[in-house]
Every structure is written in structure tokens, then in C-alpha cells.
Amino acid sequence: MLDLVSNRPELPAEIARRRTFAIISHPDAGKTTLTEKFLLYGGAIQMAGQVRAKGEARRTRSDFMKMEQDRGISVSASAMSFDFKGFRFNLVDTPGHSDFSEDTYRTLTAVDAAVMVIDGAKGVESQTQKLFEVCRLRDLPILTFCNKMDRESRDTFDIIDEIQENLAIDVTPASWPIGVGRDFLGCYDMIRDRLELMDRADRNKVAQSIEINGLDDPKLAEHVPAALLDKLREEVEMARELLPALNPQSVLEGHMTPIWFGSAINSFGVKELMDGIGTYGPQPQPQRATPRQILPEESKVSGFVFKVQANMDPKHRDRVAFVRLASGHFNRGMKLTHVRSKKPMSITNPVLFLASDRELAEEAWAGDIIGIPNHGQLRIGDTLTEGEALKVTGIPSFAPELLQTVRAGDPLKAKHLEKALMQFAEEGAAKVFKPMIGSGFIVGVVGALQFEVLGSRIELEYGLPVRFEASQFTSARWVHGDKAAVDKLVNANKQHMAEDNDGDMVYLTRLQWDIDRIGRDYPDVTLSATKEMMV
């Protein structure tokens, strides 16, 4: 975390009530369903869609691409803003599928906390672990939701142990499940000493909550069968002795995670989790930037682009840049300086998102995420300010792990293809390389599913059938060094050289041996697997 000094002034009330967070999980742990229920409780939608329901009922709000709706997975990160109990939640739903991890990594640069969703039966899975490590690098506070408790799930202590061991973070239970699978009745709220009972009949209804006076309250016996009640008392007593108590400061520093148990599909445990985000989640935090960090309470507006989504509205070929506001109070129609090009931009039609629905944003505060429609001026990593030349840092771009050449089905449409590829490259959906020798383009991605998504989007959005073919190259590295050294490398290795969509030099490799050889023959040049998204 940046300097968590306590002598910073109090944030203006509007900024202090903002909670900006992402939901991270392994695919299929129930992340999109949980997002839907957040919207339901925030009063943003009347009925939550399900990823697996029938017909129109299954149109979840956060999955708006055709492919997402067909497959029931989230492919692109989407942002939603809604109010809940005096707080303003800015929620970013990220793709769980590892093939889209780069989108997720970048999204985590724009939030102040993460909600980690794990499946009660499967515990911590590989993708959760990867994403968790990114949160670790950024010291993001993490709140955990253990989902699917209404199905057969593992022992509660096992789940907590696994999180503590695999992720090396202290876990403190905020609620404790009563029964599992078919016998799952609800939870005992350990923070507020309440009994929360799940209603299986109506999934879109808020669970009933009964205030009790400690676990010895005779009222408990009216609602919980004797065997489950004995087990609950015993487990909670053990948990209180063995597990650390909730320490809000430790949560904010990213050393401890409170865990809630529930079932998102039954709307159970979600409200408690949302209360927890409001109470224990961080207010908008300072952002790393050069030459100085940006504090949210500054009066001047600044923000940065962490994602670009093209063709959200296919009729208009529009591109929306998702901007996280880092400081100030933004009003519609403001002129902001686009730091990379040093040109002023009038922001006349900024939008607030509710997934694919959007409305004009008359105003926004530090911590909010707004969309700025533009025609290609804004790219990932760009900073907008009221004149000061600040650049937000730490937004990564990773070397692709899979490369293929791409050709238009119709050779006469090569120009159109180039335009479509450049658009996706600027969106961050793929890396596009133009080799120095030969025609055509090489497309690089992190996961194989991205080729499918790219092919289907180019066909749907541009009416261009394309085919991907195997490339002789397996990976790419950005070339850094002084001009003379780089020119020497380029002239001797033209068959390996290409330019990326920003015009930076890239060395395409077939084997690790290629990389080692360059290191040996050209000591003044470095090959790097990541590039900071700044121009």
C-alpha cells in the first residue's frame, strides 16, 4: 500500500463513501452470479440473471458480449456503479478465465480492494492463486466470500486452513455456516451476533435475520435443530480460540482477510458481505504516478485509463475508455489535458455504467469509474489531468505466450484487417506485430481462447472472416537499449524483428536459445517480457 499515514486530512464525504473493488476468482466459482446479487441489493436491478438459468432469465447484466452470453463465461471486465446504505459501490467484474488474465491484472491496478470468491467444495484453485499474487504485489485489501455452501462442501476449518497456507494471509471468520449441502440452514453472524437464515424458496429475496444474545440464547433452539446447534457452538468456540480476531487495520494493510459464507445463487450471505465491504473496505487510495503520487483529496481532477472496450455498441463503432478517477470532483463538460499528446480534451458525454446499460455522468468523484467515448485518442495507461504532467505508473503489458499469423479470408480486405487489428491492440485484447520481412501480421495472446474471441469479434464487428495460422515464432520480447546498439541488433536479425502497434521494436523468438544468443552477442541490449503501458 502507499504510505498509510494517519496524518492525511479527512477525505471529503462524497469521496469517503466510495468503495471501488474488483471481484476475483477461478472460473465457475460464482463470481458473475455474486455480481448480479450485488446489483439486486443495490436496487439497481429487479431480478438477478443467472449464468445457467433458462431463456431470457439467464441474461446476466455484466456479460454483454455475444460470446459471453453463449458460453456463460465472462470475457471482458465490466464496471458497475450503484448505491448501497449510504455507500457508493464501484464494482469491476473481471474475467476469471486464465486466458484473459492480462485484462484482470490491469483491472486490479484501478481498484482499492478485491473480493475473492471461492467455491466451498473446491477451495483455493489455481487461477485464484495467480490473481491473489497480483493483489499481493499491490498490497490490496482482500475480503473473501466462500460460495456454494448449499451444495456439498468441505469442512469449514479445512477451507480456512487452505486459504491461510496457500495464500499466506490471516483469515478471520465474519460468519460461520450452520450445516452444509442439503442441511445448510444459514449462518451465525460472528460480528453482530445474529442468526441469518436462508430462504430456499425465493432466490431473489433477502434472507431473514434474527437478533440473538450470544450462542446460549434459547431462541436459537427454535430455529436450529439440536445436533446442528451443538456442532455450531463447538465450532464457533474453537474458531474464536484458534483464529485471529478481526482487526480492521490489518485488513486494510492486506495482511488479514475476513471470510463470509453463503450461497450467491440463493441471495444468501451477500448482504453481509456488502455490509463488510462498506465497513472494512478502504476509501479511495492514493495512486502511484510520476513525478509524484496523486492523492484522492486533491481538488484538481486526474484519472487514468485502465481498459478500452471497442464496439460496446456495434451500431456506432464506438470505443469507450474506462477511466478510474484518482482525484478531485469531475463535472460533465470539463476540459482535461491528455498528458501523452499534451492536447486538451473536452469531455462532453462521459458515461456511468451498469454493465451494458449506461447513463450520462453529470458528475463523478475520486474513486469512481467513468467511461469516455472516443475515436482512438485514449489508450490503456493514458493519464488525464487538469494540466499537470502526471503519469500514473504500474499498468503492465505482458509478452504474449502464443503467436499466430493472421490473414483476411478476402485478400482485397487486407487494409480493413489492419484497422481491426490495430483497434484490438489498442484495446489490449491482443498484441499485434508487423514483421520487418514479409507481409501480414502476427498476433500474440496470453491464452488460446483469445484467438477464438478475436476471430469471432472481427467477423461480427467488421464483417471480415479471418484465419489464424501457426507461426514459426513462439514468443516476443521488447528491445531496449541505446539507438546504436538496437540498430546493430536490428540490421543483423531482420528476420526476427517486428514492430508492435505503438511502433516499439520487438524481437520474435523461436527458442530460449534465441534469447540467450542475443544476451551473449549484444550485451548493450536488453530483451524484456513486460512493458509499462505508457507512451
Side-chain angles (χ1 to χ4, degrees), residues 144-162:
T144 306
F145 184 69
C146 184
N147 193 17
K148 305 193 182 179
M149 294 306 289
D150 56 324
R151 306 199 190 162
E152 286 313 311
S153 57
R154 291 160 47 180
D155 177 71
T156 312
F157 282 108
D158 283 354
I159 294 171
I160 290 177
D161 279 351
E162 185 177 19

Side-chain angles (χ1 to χ4, degrees), residues 178 185 195 197 208 210 212 218-226 228-229:
I178 305 171
L185 291 181
L195 186 64
L197 295 178
Q208 82 180 97
I210 298 153
I212 52 173
K219 249 196 292 187
L220 275 168
E222 297 166 26
H223 301 283
V224 182
L228 285 178
L229 187 53

Side-chain angles (χ1 to χ4, degrees), residues 5 25-26 29 79 157 161 317 395 438 479:
V5 277
S25 78
H26 195 80
F157 282 108
D161 279 351
R317 283 254 174 278
I395 300 177
V479 179

